[in-house]
Amino acid sequence: LQFKFHTGTSLFAKRPSRPFPPPFNPLPSPTSTSPLRDAFRSFHFNQDALGYLRGVTNGDDAVLISPYYIGVADGVGAWNTRPQGHAALWSRLILHFWAIEIEQQVLRYNSQSASDRDMRVISPLSALQASYETTTAITTSVPILGTTTACIALLLPPTTLLLTNLGDSQAFVFRPSENKFIARTEEQWHWFDCPRQLGTNSPDTPEKEGKVVEVQLEEEDVLVVATDGLMDNLWEAEVTKDLMEWIKAGEVEQNMAENLVEKAKAVAGDPWGLSPYMERAVEQGLGIEGGKWDDISVVVARCKK
């Protein structure tokens, strides 16, 4: 790979996430049992690793970061009103199993002889489909109810970035040399405030509704990956202007992520503020004012050699 991500992350949760059921909270002992643990065993995972999920939880959001991929998932909070609903667990599981699958794909690619290597064996969309199928199989038998969006960025050699999306989380690529976003994912909804989502009772699947955007990167390109709590409250033109100013001022990725979250949080908590969320509501004939009070998860990454 010619590039890797230098990242900064900022998170705001509108409320604490619902505690995960065993074996995830607390971490299980080697002898503990539960329907979910038994389901995990059927997928041949190391028993010592049971209970460990990659990434972090932010309210009902999940965030996953490495030097070569970034993912966010937004669990649909309405499931938390159900006794067996776990929005935050669904978002974590989707990212967890995506990471496992994509790493297996990379291993298969690296095991091929140099002359036979085919980059098409690495597919973030097929990895998301595999993650969805695994998460569904594990949670159906318990059951654990939930749905989530997913938006994932993956670097491939030498300079390719693949943005994979299902739902209304988003990823943007900002090119400082041109002072503009050069690529972005598109939000997907069934109707207002109901995004496409993976999980319980949803007809959506990655292989049918997932979309992939391919970008050829340049050094110093800036990637923003965020759940909808960011772009429901900030206008794209506003984010573009802010990024231009912060990059020229030499701000590091962490500061840019924190600044974006603070600005989005201020609008989200303003009952009279103007926001993209309010604008879409008005277009649907709904009398909604102000921002949208929501979990906000933002990762800002700079592409470096």
Side-chain angles (χ1 to χ4, degrees), residues 11-30:
L11 310 173
F12 166 74
K14 64 182 179 182
R15 60 173 176 262
S17 59
R18 190 174 193 177
F20 291 176
F24 300 112
N25 190 19
L27 292 177
S29 69

Side-chain angles (χ1 to χ4, degrees), residues 75-103:
V76 177
W79 287 105
N80 293 328
T81 63
R82 304 280 292 274
Q84 294 171 308
H86 289 277
L89 179 55
W90 258 88
S91 61
R92 277 289 288 279
L93 288 172
I94 285 291
L95 292 185
H96 173 81
F97 288 118
W98 179 89
I100 290 174
E101 176 61 25
I102 206 70
E103 289 168 7

Side-chain angles (χ1 to χ4, degrees), residues 193-214:
D193 216 22
C194 180
R196 290 197 178 277
Q197 54 202 269
L198 302 173
T200 310
N201 297 336
S202 174
D204 303 325
T205 66
E207 63 183 7
K208 289 193 300 182
E209 281 79 29
K211 302 296 181 184
V212 178
V213 177
E214 181 174 330

